């Protein structure tokens, strides 16, 4: 049975969806932040967990009346609010891409929020020696979007992601155009400029599991998980698929995730 609800947060409301039975598992989406990202995974996990997903603020069915940049800590506050809303903390938490960054801030600032965090390919480029180059590329994407070339920004964005590049698009407009505008205009720079609080994460009681996909080797979103594991003195784990494996290879990816969640 699927339960849908609205979670009040500062400057908005979040659409929250829960299903399944068992220990609480919060899934935090990357990209455009849609709960629908995890539809296939949720079905596979619902026999063993109470799976909670949500649309990130301002995306799809969630609202946001604020203006200006949306910081990673603010989004982590939202994730914590969702956990309080469903009454289930501490929880198991899985975050992918930007969702992994949100998860890292969540466990750094809310030590009792999670028992385990699986952080899949967090784009923590501030941990890399060539961070400025990646920030320059993100700025170029933002400028394209602001100049009205949303498709150009989208193509540059997806070209850098393993397994995400698309064939030549004939469409004049992107699906979910307003959500892409929000990502480029208010979120992308904040996500890539965020430096995880390594000191707090080293002290955290949460079991942190940095992972990256085998198919992502050689791409910018693979290396930060390795560096994070090294900085925290933790094992680094490779999982099946590439950056979009939770959507494109859900069965194989979920099997690996289940093992990580249970240690």
């Amino acid at each position: 049975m699927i339960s849908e609800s609205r979670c009040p947060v500062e400057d908005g409301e979040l659409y929250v969806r829960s299903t399944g039975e068992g220990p609480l598992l919060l899934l935090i989406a990357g990209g455009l932040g849609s709960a629908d990202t995890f539809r296939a995974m949720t079905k596979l996990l619902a026999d063993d967990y109470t799976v909670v997903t949500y649309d990130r603020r301002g995306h799809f069915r969630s609202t946001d009346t604020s203006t200006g940049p949306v910081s990673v800590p603010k989004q982590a506050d939202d994730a914590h609010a969702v956990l309080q809303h469903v009454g289930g903390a501490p929880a198991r938490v899985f975050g992918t891409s930007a969702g992994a960054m949100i998860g890292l801030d969540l466990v750094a600032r809310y030590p009792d929020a999670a028992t385990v965090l699986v952080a899949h390919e967090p784009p923590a480029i501030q941990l890399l020696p060539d961070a400025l180059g990646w920030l320059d590329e993100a700025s170029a994407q933002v400028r394209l979007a602001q100049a009205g070339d949303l498709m150009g920004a989208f193509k540059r964005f997806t070209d850098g992601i393993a397994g995400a590049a698309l064939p030549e698009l004939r469409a004049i407009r992107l699906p979910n155009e307003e959500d892409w505008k929000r990502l480029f205009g208010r979120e992308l720079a904040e996500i890539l400029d965020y430096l995880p609080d390594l000191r707090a994460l080293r002290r955290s009681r949460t079991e942190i599991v940095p992972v990256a996909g085998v198919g992502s080797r050689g791409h910018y979103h693979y290396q930060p998980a390795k560096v994070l594991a090294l900085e925290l003195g933790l094992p680094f784990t490779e999982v099946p698929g590439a950056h979009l494996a939770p959507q494109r290879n859900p069965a194989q990816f979920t099997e690996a995730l289940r093992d990580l969640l249970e240690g």
Side-chain angles (χ1 to χ4, degrees):
M1 180 178 177
I2 296 175
S3 170
E4 298 176 300
S5 60
R6 311 283 305 177
C7 172
V9 292
E10 183 182 6
D11 301 318
E13 280 190 338
L14 305 179
Y15 166 82
V16 179
R17 188 163 61 214
S18 304
T19 188
E21 294 183 359
L24 183 69
L25 170 59
L26 177 67
L27 307 181
I28 309 176
L32 298 186
S34 172
D36 292 342
T37 297
F38 298 119
R39 278 194 178 275
M41 285 182 58
T42 296
K43 291 179 181 178
L44 294 167
L45 291 163
D47 286 342
D48 300 308
Y49 300 97
T50 299
V51 185
V52 177
T53 58
Y54 67 100
D55 291 344
R56 294 209 319 267
R57 67 165 51 235
H59 287 289
F60 300 97
R61 293 150 293 194
S62 292
T63 63
D64 181 16
T65 61
S66 70
T67 58
V70 182
S71 70
V72 170
K74 187 162 192 172
Q75 299 212 54
D77 290 342
D78 289 347
H80 186 250
V82 170
L83 288 175
Q84 291 183 308
H85 176 70
V86 298
R92 292 165 173 83
V93 178
F94 168 73
T96 182
S97 191
M101 299 285 268
I102 294 165
L104 289 168
D105 193 78
L106 173 71
V107 302
R109 294 193 298 113
Y110 295 100
D112 298 323
T115 56
V116 58
L117 166 68
V118 178
H120 177 242
E121 300 195 5
I125 59 173
Q126 291 285 11
L127 295 174
L128 304 181
D130 55 349
L132 287 179
W134 293 114
L135 288 173
D136 286 345
E137 172 57 27
S139 295
Q141 294 168 20
V142 169
R143 288 194 298 271
L144 278 174
Q146 290 175 338
D149 187 5
L150 189 61
M151 184 67 76
F154 169 78
K155 288 180 178 178
R156 286 185 69 154
F157 179 78
T158 55
D159 282 348
I161 297 175
L166 300 173
E168 188 65 29
L169 296 175
R170 296 181 181 179
I172 297 174
R173 296 179 60 180
L174 284 174
N176 308 313
E177 185 176 275
E178 292 304 314
D179 293 278
W180 283 106
K181 287 180 180 178
R182 180 181 177 88
L183 176 68
F184 287 118
R186 299 185 61 188
E187 296 179 346
L188 184 61
E190 292 290 314
I191 292 165
L192 296 183
D193 200 39
Y194 174 79
L195 177 65
D197 187 341
L198 298 177
R199 182 176 296 180
L201 293 174
R202 291 187 189 110
R203 295 196 305 262
S204 175
R205 297 189 293 272
T206 302
E207 180 186 354
I208 301 169
V209 187
V211 305
V214 173
S216 292
R217 293 175 184 171
H219 291 260
Y220 80 91
H221 44 78
Y222 176 92
Q223 193 65 19
K226 291 189 70 174
V227 176
L228 179 66
L230 183 65
E231 290 282 357
L232 299 181
L234 298 172
F236 165 73
T237 304
E238 283 193 330
V239 291
H243 195 65
L244 300 181
Q247 298 148 267
R248 297 192 175 175
N249 311 98
Q252 192 177 18
F253 188 87
T254 301
E255 183 179 354
L257 175 62
R258 195 188 304 272
D259 290 341
L260 295 171
L261 291 171
E262 298 307 324

